[in-house]
Amino acid sequence: REGMKDDIRLTLACGDYDRTRPLWDGSVRPEGISLNCIVLEPNEIFRRMLKEEAFDVSEMSLSNYITECGKNPRRFVAIPVFLSRAFRHSNLYVNRRSGIREARDLRGKRIGVSEYHTTLALWLRGILQEEYQVSPAEAEWFTGGVEAPGPDDRMGDFTPPPGVKIHRPPPGKCLSGMLRDGELDVLLNPRKPGCYDGREIARLWENYREMETDYYARTKIFPIMHVVVIKREIYMKHPWAAQSLYRAFTRAKETAITKLTRMGTLPVTLPWAFSEAERAMDLMGRDFWPYGVEANRHVLETMLRYAKEQGLCLPRITVDDLFPAKIAD
C-alpha cells in the first residue's frame, strides 16, 4: 500500500469470464482502486488498446505484448495474470483436397490466419516446428478477415519476419471462403470456420483432445494466450496498483475455481462441468490455471523462444523483462 492515499479510478477492459466476473460484479475489489469495468470482445480490446491506448488496464494478446516490449519507449506494463489459456491442436483446419493427411504435409502449403502475430498462430507455428519440423518459412501465409473481409492489422507497424511470405486476400475475399474454394490449404482459427463440414473441410487432428492431453503430460505446458496490461504512465505514477490488481485478479480466479469444485449446482451451462474440472485437476493439479511468473516460467520461456525463432521478439528479452519485479507470486 506504499504511496496509496485515496482510491484511484481505473478503467478495466476484459472479456466476460467466470474468472473476471467477481471484479465487475463488485464481490472482489482491488485495494485502493475503484474499477470501471468494461466487458468487450477481446480482439476489439486489443485493437483499441494497441491503436489508441483506450483503457487504463486491459486484457492483451501476450504475443502482441511481447512484440511491444521491443519498442522504445514501452507503452504498457504487464502483470502475470493470464485471462485466456487454451490448447490449440483443435484449431488447425485443412482442405482435404490439398492432400494433407498429417502435420508434415503442411510444408509448402498456403496457410490463412487472421493476423500473423496472434498468440494462437505463435503457439501453433512453434508446435509445428518443434514437434513436426515444419518451419514458418516453408509455408505461404495469408492474413485477413476469416468470415468477411477484415480490417487492417491491429499492429499497424508490424513488419513480416525475414524469409516469411505474407499476403492479403484478394479484394472481397475472406479466409474461410478461400479455404472452402481451395485457394487456401490450411486455416488457423480459434473456432470452426463457416466452411467447416467435417469432411472436405476438417480439423487436421480430429483426436485433438487426446493429443492435447498427451501434449500437456509430456511438456507441462498449458498455453497462455492473454495477459493483463497497465498503461505505463499509470504504472509509473501508481506502481503499487500492479500488485493490488494482481491480488484482486487472483482472488477472482480462486472464486471461479471454487464454484467449479464446491457448489452443489452447476455454475455454468455445461452438463459435465464438475467432471471436467475433476479431470483437469487429476492431470494438472488443483490450480490448473495458475497466475504468477514462477508457476508459469517454463510456459513463458517456451513462448519467448518461439517468438524469437519466429522473428516476433528481440533476442535480448527475457521472462523477467515482461513483468515488474515487485509483483509477488
Side-chain angles (χ1 to χ4, degrees):
R1 297 188 49 160
E2 184 179 352
M4 188 168 63
K5 296 180 182 178
D6 298 330
D7 279 10
I8 60 172
R9 296 186 61 82
L10 299 178
T11 297
L12 163 67
C14 64
D16 179 5
Y17 313 122
D18 61 349
R19 50 201 172 274
T20 57
R21 194 165 298 119
L23 290 167
W24 49 266
D25 71 14
S27 57
V28 170
R29 290 192 61 216
E31 188 177 10
I33 299 172
S34 294
L35 283 181
N36 173 28
C37 295
I38 301 174
V39 178
L40 294 170
E41 196 275 329
N43 282 322
E44 180 182 351
I45 296 172
F46 305 162
R47 183 175 297 279
R48 291 176 61 182
M49 196 64 165
L50 289 165
K51 287 184 175 292
E52 310 161 22
E53 298 180 43
F55 313 105
D56 300 321
V57 185
S58 86
E59 187 172 356
M60 174 64 69
S61 155
L62 184 47
S63 67
N64 289 171
Y65 174 68
I66 288 171
T67 301
E68 281 280 322
C69 286
K71 298 179 180 179
N72 189 17
R74 285 169 62 166
R75 297 189 292 164
F76 309 113
V77 173
I79 58 176
V81 167
F82 307 115
L83 292 185
S84 177
R85 307 179 78 126
F87 294 104
R88 288 308 190 187
H89 291 72
S90 66
N91 300 145
L92 204 159
Y93 299 91
V94 301
N95 185 320
R96 294 294 187 196
R97 299 194 305 273
S98 299
I100 298 170
R101 296 295 178 267
E102 59 179 344
R104 289 180 177 83
D105 295 334
L106 269 60
R107 293 191 183 101
K109 299 302 185 184
R110 298 161 297 178
I111 303 177
V113 66
S114 62
E115 293 172 325
Y116 188 82
H117 48 70
T118 65
T119 311
L120 174 149
L122 183 151
W123 276 109
L124 279 173
R125 285 193 299 263
I127 290 168
L128 286 169
Q129 180 158 350
E130 187 158 41
E131 304 210 339
Y132 302 96
Q133 295 74 58
V134 178
S135 76
E138 291 180 285
E140 198 163 355
W141 296 85
F142 290 77
T143 63
V146 175
E147 302 298 345
D152 293 337
D153 195 294
R154 65 180 178 239
M155 297 194 79
D157 57 354
F158 176 72
T159 301
V164 175
K165 299 175 184 177
I166 303 178
H167 312 284
R168 295 289 289 179
K173 295 210 171 186
C174 65
L175 300 181
S176 177
M178 292 176 70
L179 182 67
R180 178 197 62 219
D181 296 340
E183 297 172 284
L184 289 178
D185 307 300
V186 185
L187 176 64
L188 312 183
N189 201 53
R191 61 189 65 85
K192 288 181 183 178
C195 64
Y196 178 89
D197 61 13
R199 298 181 300 277
E200 282 198 338
I201 308 300
R203 289 186 171 95
L204 174 63
W205 293 305
E206 292 294 348
N207 63 333
Y208 63 88
R209 177 65 180 261
E210 176 185 337
M211 294 192 68
E212 291 167 353
T213 301
D214 173 72
Y215 175 77
Y216 182 83
R218 288 187 292 106
T219 66
K220 297 300 182 282
I221 290 174
F222 182 15
I224 295 169
M225 297 293 129
H226 303 167
V227 70
V228 172
V229 298
I230 307 169
K231 286 170 65 172
R232 188 170 188 82
E233 63 192 63
I234 292 173
Y235 173 76
M236 297 303 291
K237 188 175 180 180
H238 307 288
W240 55 267
Q243 179 78 301
S244 178
L245 286 165
Y246 174 77
R247 288 173 176 162
F249 274 106
T250 298
R251 293 198 306 273
K253 187 225 358 175
E254 289 170 351
T255 298
I257 290 179
T258 296
K259 286 183 177 179
L260 278 176
T261 55
R262 296 186 186 174
M263 286 185 64
T265 54
L266 286 167
V268 295
T269 313
L270 183 66
W272 289 279
F274 292 146
S275 64
E276 285 294 330
E278 289 176 0
R279 287 179 68 181
M281 287 186 285
D282 287 344
L283 179 65
M284 305 165 74
R286 186 186 183 282
D287 188 6
F288 49 82
W289 199 294
Y291 292 168
V293 174
E294 292 311 316
N296 291 281
R297 185 170 289 276
H298 171 51
V299 181
L300 293 165
E301 286 177 343
T302 301
M303 191 173 182
L304 270 181
R305 175 165 57 84
Y306 289 168
K308 292 171 185 177
E309 291 170 352
Q310 296 173 31
L312 301 178
C313 175
L314 292 178
R316 68 172 184 270
I317 293 176
T318 69
V319 169
D320 294 317
D321 292 326
L322 301 178
F323 307 101
K326 291 184 179 179
I327 293 186
D329 282 328

